[in-house]
Amino acid sequence: MRLVGAELVESREILPGQWLQAYHAPAIANGSRAGQFVHVRPGDWSGLVLRRPFSINTADAASGIITIHFRTVGRGTEWFTRLRPGDVIDMLGPLGRPFEVDRQSRHLLLIAGGLGMAGVRMLADEALRDARQVVLLFGAASARDVYPSNLLPDEVEYVVATDDGSMGHHGLVTALIPEYEAWADQAFACGPYRMLEALAKQAAGRRQRLGVAKLGRKKGGGKPVAIGSPEARRKAYLQVSMEQNMGCAVGACLGCVVMGVSGTPQRVCREGPVFAFDEVDWEKGWPPGMAS
Ligand SMILES: Cc1cc2nc3c(=O)[nH]c(=O)nc-3n(C[C@H](O)[C@H](O)[C@H](O)COP(=O)(O)OP(=O)(O)OC[C@H]3O[C@@H](n4cnc5c(N)ncnc54)[C@H](O)[C@@H]3O)c2cc1C
Ligand code: FES
């Protein structure tokens, strides 16, 4: 984890209210992994005290550039849209635990709902670099919210679902899963809580549906593994990247917990943001007000 001055290189509105920003931050770009995030401080004069967390959308160690993709929802995110190339902001990262891909997995299914694209986008780059195949299922409310395909690598098979049917499949992105679940060795998701909960339920019944006990699973599958450990994620068919309001983002304030199946609260900033789907207690996992 590094605290750096990150220089804005490029900033553009890629969808209504959604921004893609590139920063020169070599110390963070070098060593970041898909699923991790940065914690960024708005400027002193803004009156905003807390840092804001953003997924690392892409990271390129060679150029030292990382990108973030965010939606303007309040004062902090609006402040970032007013930055201009050459401005330097205070950035802490990389933070949190990354997605874990089993070395034998060849077919990766990525599932993103809305801004959840930012949570899985970098995994597509990592997977293609390692000669894996990637299908990315993306759900949005309407065509106007659909992530532009030209911002994805050509090798990614990109499948869109919209709630109103204005582009791609008419309906929820979760309806697309049955077509791909036998193909996929592992699945990785980021998006609204309800979407992740639905995917976790689908994943729980996958073994019975496919009629295989250990599809894609390796030796040692019966050993207990610690919640939050890389092995727990690597063994899971589905990994989810969770969001939670954050204070410190370094594990100290306990402001970001979700409930684990063991009854132990899990800090999204330290044990997460990536969890194996069966590590989260989906009934109790979310504080009131966030379950939408
Ligand atoms: C690990 C992590 C990664 C994230 N990655 C991204 C990303 O890549 N792109 C992106 O657009 N957003 C991301 N978020 C959410 C983002 O941090 C918030 O939208 C942002 O902090 C809001 O700041 P604000 O000052 O504009 O809004 P505020 O004025 O602080 O809040 C405005 C509204 O947004 C809600 N909100 C604030 N923080 C969160 C949060 N963490 N999750 C859900 N709702 C929130 C508030 O409840 C309020 O309703 C991520 C959050 C986490 C925890
Ligand atoms: S934000 Fe402080 S413990 Fe996670």
Side-chain angles (χ1 to χ4, degrees), residues 245-257 267-270:
N245 288 315
M246 282 190 180
C248 68
V250 292
C253 73
L254 303 183
C256 65
V257 296
R267 297 165 297 182
V268 170
C269 70
R270 286 303 284 260

Side-chain angles (χ1 to χ4, degrees), residues 28 49 73:
I28 294 179
V49 177
V73 295

